[in-house]
Amino acid sequence: MEISRLLIKFDTIADYIPIVSTATNLVDLFLKRVYLPNNEHKINKNRYFEHLSQKSFTRCILLLFPIIGNIFFIRH
């Protein structure tokens, strides 16, 4: 399995684990705001970057809050 698929799977699962989701979504927000805008040509070449570009900022921000953010996404 390629690294991009593993990262996508890890990111998706981590969104449902308190504290882990906080750390992973801090990284996601950094990549979405700092890295990806300066490297738009890499988005279509990398499945993980494509996944991040489609993940909403609202989701990333809510998941920064352990337990509360996780419960919100488990219910929806």
Side-chain angles (χ1 to χ4, degrees):
M1 187 180 282
E2 67 182 89
I3 300 265
S4 294
R5 286 185 182 187
L6 289 173
L7 290 172
I8 292 167
K9 187 171 254 185
F10 177 75
D11 186 59
T12 304
I13 292 169
D15 283 351
Y16 297 96
I17 304 171
I19 300 174
V20 175
S21 65
T22 302
T24 58
N25 281 285
L26 277 172
V27 172
D28 291 351
L29 285 171
F30 173 80
L31 290 172
K32 285 175 76 62
R33 296 296 286 171
V34 177
Y35 185 78
L36 290 180
N38 296 323
N39 295 286
E40 289 184 22
H41 62 282
K42 293 184 179 181
I43 292 174
N44 293 330
K45 294 179 182 177
N46 186 307
R47 294 178 77 158
Y48 178 65
F49 292 149
E50 188 176 340
H51 163 76
L52 284 182
S53 69
Q54 294 173 358
K55 189 173 182 181
S56 74
F57 280 105
T58 304
R59 182 180 179 99
C60 291
I61 290 170
L62 283 173
L63 287 168
L64 292 176
F65 301 97
I67 301 171
I68 295 168
N70 302 99
I71 290 171
F72 179 79
F73 281 103
I74 287 172
R75 290 181 165 237
H76 290 92

